[in-house]
Amino acid sequence: MVQRKKIIIIGGGFGGIFTARKLANHNIDVLLIDKQNHHLFQPLLYQVAAGILSPENVAIPLRLVFADNKNVKVRMEEVLSVDKTTQKVITNENEYFYDFLVIATGSTYNFFGHNEWAKHVFTLKTLAGALKLKNHIQTQFERALVIKDSAEKEKLLTFAIVGAGPTGVEMAGIISEIAKKFTQEESTIKFQDIKVNLIETAERPLAAFSTYLSDYSVQAMHKLGIKVKLNTTVEEIRHNYIKTSEGEIHSNTIVWAAGVLGVGAASLLNILKPARGNKVTVTEYLNLCDDDKVFVIGDTAEFIQNDRPLPGLGSVAKQQGIYLGRALRKIVRGEDRREIKPFKYEDYGIMAIIGKRAAVAELPLVHLQGVPAWILWGLVHLLLLIGFRNRAIVLFDWVWTYLAGSYSSRVINQVNYEA
Ligand SMILES: Cc1cc2nc3c(=O)[nH]c(=O)nc-3n(C[C@H](O)[C@H](O)[C@H](O)COP(=O)(O)OP(=O)(O)OC[C@H]3O[C@@H](n4cnc5c(N)ncnc54)[C@H](O)[C@@H]3O)c2cc1C
């Protein structure tokens, strides 16, 4: 009897989950390994931090995703290394052998050589990170109401977000909206007392968008009371303190949303000289240049198209996962690899939300701003969420928040989250 081929996928993010979906219910043994037990929809993490959505609604257990697919096994383990010679994956608990390996381990934040800053800032990458930030933001407002020391109160009501890409802009926008809501509930704190600073080295926010859309975002942020500090470089971060090229900010809440680094693949494969951003260079078929059994996709891969690396986007990871799942089916069936077409990313556009009724969308044929972009952003994110239940609950929570104006998940719990 011919042995079924074994495919191991490391990482159950966008890349890993879509590869596994395309391999589900085929004559292949698939092992999906992730150090978390869930797939996380990172684009909506900031709404968990804002208390709009509950963590369960932006994540789904991997076991549930593949409950009906007997050939896909899920294991919660951390992969420590890969031995390409013996085709072995070594985790904190086990060793597994593969015929083909897919590495989709994602990315982490880039502190540009200042890793010592990490302990003083909040990041949005995991559920724990988002919950820690939510507890913290709610605590700042509650404490600001009761504290007597005015310098302390100012630090409680000052927020600094570093990086004006989509995540930074979204975070600044939502903090400003939470602040407005809070000052409507509690008139002893004035909205003008709350300072939301968005710090960006470049001369404009949302640099991946056309200039006039990023100009619109600046206007929309000014309307929200956000201080947009452009051409401003962070020089030092300490506990509740940030020094920039344009001055100092004393704030209890510093959110880091600048730059990403590929995580996992380069170190798992022991690649000493990774590509820019700690990524692993792959061929047009997504495999390693020196190994056609090992594939790297998503944020941790460097794929060059039209002389430029593809951006770290969910849509890139998803398309690569779908392509690779289909290609692996053909490879396992023994089809001639030369017949398989190379991967090509289809760019359907980029979007960012700034606040209520304010967003930008740059699509191939049309550029949108304001309410149309805001509605489109909501629809696209609902469709991309995994799981019908999550889509239904998120839609309900959004409508509820919009109509009732209340953020329902504002409970401060006592759990000490390690982000
Ligand atoms: C706050 C935020 C907002 C974003 N907004 C958008 C957006 O609006 N639109 C968009 O297109 N993109 C957005 N992105 C980017 C998008 O989420 C990523 O591009 C996408 O998740 C990358 O998918 P991936 O499969 O490469 O990695 P990920 O989705 O990050 O998944 C990697 C997985 O690998 C696991 N893993 C890592 N190392 C190991 C190991 N050693 N062993 C076992 N498991 C491991 C992790 O636990 C994780 O589950 C956003 C990202 C963030 C952080």
Side-chain angles (χ1 to χ4, degrees), residues 372-390:
W374 181 67
I375 293 172
L376 187 68
W377 183 95
L379 288 175
V380 168
H381 282 74
L382 272 184
L383 286 175
L384 289 174
L385 254 181
I386 306 281
F388 177 77
R389 181 181 166 276
N390 279 354

Side-chain angles (χ1 to χ4, degrees), residues 116 145 376:
E116 73 278 10
L145 273 176
L376 187 68

Side-chain angles (χ1 to χ4, degrees), residues 276-293:
R276 212 170 61 98
N278 199 35
K279 295 182 176 199
V280 170
T281 307
V282 291
T283 68
E284 54 192 335
Y285 302 95
L286 304 176
N287 58 284
L288 293 181
C289 303
D290 63 352
D291 192 327
D292 64 2
K293 293 189 168 59

Side-chain angles (χ1 to χ4, degrees), residues 47-153:
Q47 297 205 0
V48 174
I52 296 175
L53 299 176
S54 300
E56 290 76 17
N57 305 137
V58 300
I60 184 163
L62 289 166
R63 192 160 291 289
L64 199 64
V65 177
F66 297 102
D68 295 332
N69 310 124
K70 293 271 174 288
N71 71 319
V72 181
K73 297 265 174 280
V74 175
R75 291 290 176 268
M76 191 178 85
E77 290 176 72
E78 179 164 6
V79 176
L80 303 179
S81 64
V82 171
D83 185 342
K84 287 196 295 167
T85 323
T86 54
Q87 297 185 202
K88 189 166 69 176
V89 166
I90 299 138
T91 75
N92 52 338
E93 298 289 347
N94 289 296
E95 294 184 352
Y96 300 102
F97 290 92
Y98 63 82
D99 293 300
F100 298 97
L101 174 65
V102 180
I103 305 182
T105 42
S107 58
T108 184
Y109 281 104
N110 187 358
F111 289 94
F112 304 103
H114 289 282
N115 289 343
E116 73 278 10
W117 294 350
K119 60 177 179 285
H120 304 303
V121 302
F122 293 86
T123 53
L124 278 178
K125 196 71 198 166
T126 59
L127 275 183
L131 288 167
K132 191 173 167 186
L133 182 54
K134 178 189 87 167
N135 282 341
H136 177 85
I137 292 173
Q138 298 300 334
T139 307
Q140 302 312 292
F141 287 120
E142 296 299 341
R143 285 195 58 218
L145 273 176
V146 292
I147 201 158
K148 295 199 174 55
D149 184 309
S150 59
E152 268 308 309
K153 184 169 173 172

